Amino acid sequence: MPDWLEHSVQVEVEVPIDFVWSLWSDLEQMPQWMKWISSVQVLEDNPELSRWKLNTGGLEFTWLSRILKMVPQQIIQWESVDGLPNRGAIRFYDRHNSSIVKLSISYAIPGILGKIMDNLFLGRAVESTIKADLERFRDYALQAQAAQK
């Protein structure tokens, strides 16, 4: 039975929430700011499903993800339905001229091995990577907004 490990990070983005939402809800844009994600493909025949590819340190993982809940400018919640077991949510909080973006990711790792790996390095690596991803997203959103003006 695998253990689920969860990490949450957030960042403030100095752009309005409708703009932040428009960028993030276009899942195929994710590789622009997510370091380990090499591609996201939304399935044409079922837009609730998307195929994800992650590359890190020469390892490649893929999974099919289903959107469980999508409330515009509030939340996108997902879970994998095959491949790398993961689930999570991205939440958006309106601060009028800025937005808070909070990403929570959970992933399954087998039993005691997962606890040891998470305590040693995996948890810190994942958390620092998703924090850097959100900081890249903030920079991406600011540049995209400036390009529209």
Side-chain angles (χ1 to χ4, degrees):
M1 195 76 175
D3 284 327
W4 284 85
L5 307 173
E6 181 174 333
H7 304 282
S8 293
V9 297
Q10 70 181 38
V11 67
E12 184 166 4
V13 183
E14 296 81 14
V15 298
I17 197 162
D18 58 334
F19 193 76
V20 166
W21 174 262
S22 71
L23 294 175
W24 200 281
S25 61
D26 182 359
L27 300 180
E28 293 182 349
Q29 293 290 317
M30 297 282 176
Q32 299 287 334
W33 60 83
M34 297 194 85
K35 178 181 176 183
W36 290 352
I37 303 298
S38 59
S39 69
V40 179
Q41 180 184 16
V42 175
L43 303 188
E44 285 184 34
D45 58 336
N46 188 347
E48 288 184 353
L49 295 175
S50 52
R51 171 82 45 208
W52 293 68
K53 190 180 293 186
L54 179 149
N55 282 302
T56 181
L59 300 174
E60 183 176 284
F61 301 95
T62 61
W63 66 93
L64 188 64
S65 183
R66 169 175 282 128
I67 293 176
L68 301 175
K69 181 179 184 180
M70 184 182 284
V71 179
Q73 300 179 12
Q74 291 181 29
I75 188 171
I76 302 170
Q77 185 178 6
W78 76 89
E79 71 177 0
S80 62
V81 293
D82 83 355
L84 184 68
N86 70 90
R87 60 186 178 221
I90 182 84
R91 291 175 176 82
F92 306 88
Y93 302 95
D94 190 358
R95 297 292 181 257
H96 303 293
N97 289 327
S98 70
S99 309
I100 303 292
V101 178
K102 181 178 182 183
L103 177 60
S104 299
I105 296 177
S106 299
Y107 51 93
I109 294 191
I112 190 71
L113 177 64
K115 283 192 190 310
I116 292 168
M117 287 174 58
D118 193 56
N119 287 337
L120 290 178
F121 67 92
L122 186 62
R124 283 191 300 266
V126 170
E127 201 156 301
S128 68
T129 298
I130 60 175
K131 181 157 182 50
D133 287 345
L134 286 186
E135 290 168 356
R136 268 191 297 281
F137 173 73
R138 180 186 57 217
D139 295 344
Y140 182 84
L142 289 169
Q143 290 171 2
Q145 184 187 42
Q148 281 194 337
K149 291 182 177 180

